[in-house]
Structures are given as C-alpha cells and as structure tokens.
Amino acid sequence: MSQKKNEFLENKDESKVSGEVTDKYSLRGRVFNRIREDILSGKYSENEELKEVTIGNELGVSRTPVREALRQLELEGLVNIIPNKGAYVTGISQKDIHDIYVIRSYLEGLAANWACSTMTEEEIDALEENIYLSEFHVRKGHYEQIVELDSQFHETLYKASGSKILEHQLSTYHHYVERIRKVSLGMEERARKSNEEHAAILEAIKKRDKKLAEKLAHAHIISTIENLNKQGL
Amino acid sequence: MSQKKNEFLENKDESKVSGEVTDKYSLRGRVFNRIREDILSGKYSENEELKEVTIGNELGVSRTPVREALRQLELEGLVNIIPNKGAYVTGISQKDIHDIYVIRSYLEGLAANWACSTMTEEEIDALEENIYLSEFHVRKGHYEQIVELDSQFHETLYKASGSKILEHQLSTYHHYVERIRKVSLGMEERARKSNEEHAAILEAIKKRDKKLAEKLAHAHIISTIENLNKQGL
DNA sequence: TTGTGCATAATTGTATACAATAATACTCGT
DNA sequence: ACGAGTATTATTGTATACAATTATGCACAA
C-alpha cells in the first residue's frame, strides 16, 4: 500500500462544538464528521455513490469505521442506503434548510417556554455573560467568536428546557445548519439584532413569562429566516 | 460453539411498518430493531451495559452487526456510548414520552398546514378510505387493524407535508411511541374519537384551510396526551 | 445490430483476527 | 489488614478475510 502519510490520521483536535453526539476521537467519529462536512459543504453531489473502500482509502482507514459512519449518516438522513447496493448522498436542499428553520422556530419557542420553569440561576448567569460578551465581539467584528457564542446561547437554552428529547433534537438541527449560520451571522447588522433578540428572550425567561418567551424565541428564528432570504439563501 | 438453532436467524418477516429507516432484512437491521424493542419494552433497565459479544451470542450473530446497530441506536438517543468503555441503555422515561407528544403536537400541526398546499388527490382518497375502513374496525373492535390504520393515516400526512425533513422527524417520533399508541387506541372510546379527529383534519385539508388544519392536527395530539393521562400513563 | 445468458468483477454483508484501552485481580511490602 | 503497583483479563476499536449479492462485460445467436 502507498502509505501516503495521511494528515487525516493525525488531525485529532477540532473546535469543540457543543451538542456533539459522535465521538470525535475515534476513527469512526472522525470519518462521520468528515463525510457529513463534505456532504453539507457540497463536495459530494446529490445521489453520488459513497463507496466504502474508496472513502476508506482517501482517509487512510479500513472499511469498518467508514461503514459505521455511513450507517449513522443514514439515520441523520444525509445518506440513503440501499441494502446490498450502496450508500447514496441525499444532501440537503434549500427547501430542507428552510424547513429546518421553520421547525426550529416552533421548537425553540417550546424550549424557551419550558426553560421558564426549569432554568437555573447558573444558566441565567451564563446567558447574561454570553450576551454581554457577544455585544463586545459584535462591535469588534469578531465573527468567529460571535458564531461560537451564538451556538453556546442556543445550546444552553436547549439544556435549560429540561427535556432530553427536545435538547437532542434541537442540537441536531442546530448543527445541521451550522454552515448557514456562519454566513448569516457574518452580517454585522444581523449579528447585532440577533444578540438583542437573545437578550429579550432571556429577559422573558427571567420573568418566567412562558408565553412571551415562547413568542420571542419563535420570532427570533423567523427573523433569522427572513435574514437568510435577504441574503438570497 | 453451542450452535443452538437460534430462531432469530430465521425470523425474516415482521409486520411492515411504514417510515422505517433501517433495513429489516439485514442482520444489522434486525439486531437494531430487536435491541430497540427490548429497550422500549423495558427488558433492559436504565444504565444497563450492552456488551457486543453478549448480545451477539444471544442473537447468534457476530459483533459486527451488533456494533453497527448500537451506533445507530446512539443517534436515536436510546443508548449512550462512552468511547472505549461501552454502550449503556438510556431508555425513555414517562416525561420523555410526554415531551415527544408535545413536540409532535406542534409538528403534526405544521405537517397538516403544509399538506394543505401539497396533498394530492390520491393522498386525499387514501385518507378517506383509511377513515372509512377505520370506522368499520372500530365498530368491530379490531384493535390490530385500528393501530395499523392510525399509523398509515399519520405517515400519509407526513409524506403529504412535502417536507422530507419533517416527514423523517415525525416518522421517528411516531415509531418511538408505537408501544404507547397500542395501549391508547386499545380504548374503544379513544379509538372512535381519534378517527373522528382524523376526519375533521382531512376536511380542513380538503378545504385547503391551513390555519384550521394546523389547529385540528395540533389538538388531535393534545387530545391523545389527555387520554394517556387518563389511563395513568 | 441487438438482446440474452453466462462468466467475471466489483461491492456490500458478516465473521474473525489483531490492537488498544479499560477493568480486575493479584502480589508484595508495610 | 491495607494500599500501591503491576500482571492479567475483559471489552472495545480497527483491520482483514470470507461470503453473498449486484453490476459489468463479453460471447453468441437471431
């Protein structure tokens, strides 16, 4: 075998994004994330066949981790596996992304509603700090940090909802549209407005006003959708 | 090895439930369904460790299909895998079930709303037949068929929503609570009422009245929750 | 030329072998 | 008796071998 010093086998640390399910430090986990990334980024085209040996060779690993990764991606809906035939890229369309945001608008509302009952003081403090910090980075134009803080805000909210199921689902969607979020928050105008909306949501939760919190969280995502439309996404 | 004629290896046909992701005819698919069933039915207790070889021996298969199944179950949230340690049963609590129904109440509403734009004549016909047939089986007390028709009704609605994402998610939840649904629809009173609600939802969709369809579909699931509470679930 | 059938190759499905890691038990000194 | 350190075992992680299935190509007849 060519033994071509594959950097994939070395690269053990990536930015730790919250809400991860798959193990980042096993080969399977890394193959999983890699393929997912490649699908979401459009490296693979719709309906393209993903062959276990080919991917394995590209990444310098055997079929085993690749197979496991593909099976998991099937459950995420990113690949379609036809038994005894192969794994085919499903990809996600513009409409899919739109649908995810609409679904999220309901579920984030629900999370905010539930969080009114279950959010702890520590979580409130964490969100206040998040908003404060984010304000700073927006002024400075630190987009990397803005995106990370946005992730943290939402993940904290999900956890604070007190529902394992809801948290799991929202995390999945949130990660799904990670790429899109980076573009969206790349506009200063939107980043600022988004943070203001976060602040309003937190205020409602602090007052334990379920209806208001739900409405604001819902509106926050709708507002994101409108922004995406403006950007032609 | 003991070679104890394991019936698991023979049993190739099970009731074909719609919305299935995993292949029922591969070993992996059958192991997956079996473990899921065992977790949902309470055969495994919370936090119990699932060892690959043990399960493999019980089912008369090697570790490979078991591993793949466990990795998939991790994504469904039914097991928690700690790298290099093991797979532990997460199970789903009463609260989880309740949460799923609340989430579904929103998403089924959304599905009904969207279906107003996208449902075809064929789908409408199928649902009308479904309701008509279901009426018959309710009168006769054929609970097996009632549950199957209920599944079909909802799966058709999901598909008619025209959203791959929404369909996928609702199917997953729907299957998650399959066991519960059987109990719920086992009450004649509820089975009858449920079918009436289906009819009302379909009428709204036929009139392409999005708001009404959404409201009725939402209420249908809420109504189911209330029924479950009545049954002490 | 076209299409059918068979041989061959490519690919997935499953089992097993080997490697790495974590859990357990044991030894030995105090 | 007790604990630290180490050897042993158990278990998971990955690679490879073999089996089953599907795709491909070629021969050959109409």
Side-chain angles (χ1 to χ4, degrees), chain B residues 31-49:
Chain B
V31 172
F32 175 89
N33 287 302
R34 170 62 174 273
I35 300 177
R36 168 150 79 171
E37 189 61 21
D38 286 346
I39 291 176
L40 293 177
S41 75
K43 184 182 160 191
Y44 296 123
S45 48
E46 190 87 16
N47 287 101
E48 185 166 346
E49 185 170 1

Side-chain angles (χ1 to χ4, degrees), chain A residues 85-148:
Chain A
K85 274 211 64 190
Y88 301 87
V89 174
T90 298
I92 79 176
S93 64
Q94 287 305 103
K95 177 173 184 309
D96 290 334
I97 290 171
H98 177 263
D99 290 353
I100 287 173
Y101 273 99
V102 176
I103 292 170
R104 267 187 68 197
S105 73
Y106 283 85
L107 300 191
E108 297 249 354
L110 190 53
N113 181 319
W114 284 348
C116 287
S117 309
T118 49
M119 187 177 277
T120 65
E121 285 304 319
E122 289 73 38
E123 284 164 339
I124 290 175
D125 289 345
L127 290 187
E128 277 183 335
E129 184 182 333
N130 179 294
I131 291 165
Y132 184 75
L133 253 177
S134 190
E135 233 167 60
F136 170 79
H137 288 301
V138 168
R139 278 202 303 273
K140 294 286 187 178
H142 297 163
Y143 294 108
E144 194 85 7
Q145 288 90 331
I146 292 171
V147 171
E148 177 59 26

Side-chain angles (χ1 to χ4, degrees), chain B residues 1 4 6 51-62 66:
Chain B
M1 189 173 283
K4 52 167 181 176
N6 194 321
K51 291 176 194 162
E52 296 169 2
V53 281
T54 307
I55 294 177
N57 288 341
E58 277 172 16
L59 270 43
V61 301
S62 80
V66 178

Side-chain angles (χ1 to χ4, degrees), chain A residues 1-177:
Chain A
M1 188 174 285
S2 63
Q3 187 69 346
K4 53 167 181 176
K5 260 302 176 214
N6 195 321
E7 87 292 342
F8 181 80
L9 291 171
E10 320 288 338
N11 181 19
K12 290 223 170 195
D13 56 352
E14 295 189 7
S15 68
K16 181 93 172 193
V17 179
S18 46
E20 276 304 328
V21 178
T22 26
D23 170 19
K24 279 224 153 124
Y25 300 102
S26 69
L27 283 185
R28 170 188 55 82
R30 278 158 47 222
V31 171
F32 175 89
N33 287 302
R34 170 63 173 273
I35 300 177
R36 167 148 80 171
E37 189 61 21
D38 286 346
I39 292 176
L40 293 178
S41 75
K43 185 181 160 193
Y44 297 122
S45 48
E46 190 87 15
N47 286 102
E48 185 167 344
E49 185 170 359
L50 299 176
K51 291 175 195 162
E52 295 169 0
V53 281
T54 308
I55 294 177
N57 288 340
E58 278 172 17
L59 270 43
V61 301
S62 81
R63 283 175 58 211
T64 308
V66 178
R67 267 187 74 82
E68 292 179 355
L70 288 175
R71 292 304 176 286
Q72 292 192 296
L73 287 165
E74 182 190 21
L75 253 73
E76 287 233 325
L78 286 176
V79 308
N80 175 30
I81 291 180
I82 301 176
N84 287 312
K85 274 211 64 190
Y88 301 87
V89 174
T90 298
I92 79 176
S93 64
Q94 287 305 103
K95 177 173 184 309
D96 290 334
I97 290 171
H98 177 263
D99 290 353
I100 287 173
Y101 273 99
V102 176
I103 292 170
R104 267 187 68 197
S105 73
Y106 283 85
L107 300 191
E108 297 249 354
L110 190 53
N113 181 319
W114 284 348
C116 287
S117 309
T118 49
M119 187 177 277
T120 65
E121 285 304 319
E122 289 73 38
E123 284 164 339
I124 290 175
D125 289 345
L127 290 187
E128 277 183 335
E129 184 182 333
N130 179 294
I131 291 165
Y132 184 75
L133 253 177
S134 190
E135 233 167 60
F136 170 79
H137 288 301
V138 168
R139 278 202 303 273
K140 294 286 187 178
H142 297 163
Y143 294 108
E144 194 85 7
Q145 288 90 331
I146 292 171
V147 171
E148 177 59 26
L149 285 169
D150 178 73
S151 276
Q152 274 177 25
F153 182 92
H154 286 278
E155 291 290 346
T156 303
L157 178 62
Y158 303 160
K159 186 170 289 296
S161 76
S163 169
K164 185 182 77 184
I165 303 281
L166 186 58
E167 179 188 351
H168 181 257
Q169 193 51 50
L170 279 170
S171 282
T172 301
Y173 285 140
H174 195 245
H175 196 239
Y176 236 71
V177 294

Side-chain angles (χ1 to χ4, degrees), chain B residues 51 63 67 71 84:
Chain B
K51 291 176 194 162
R63 284 176 56 208
R67 267 186 74 82
R71 291 305 176 286
N84 288 312

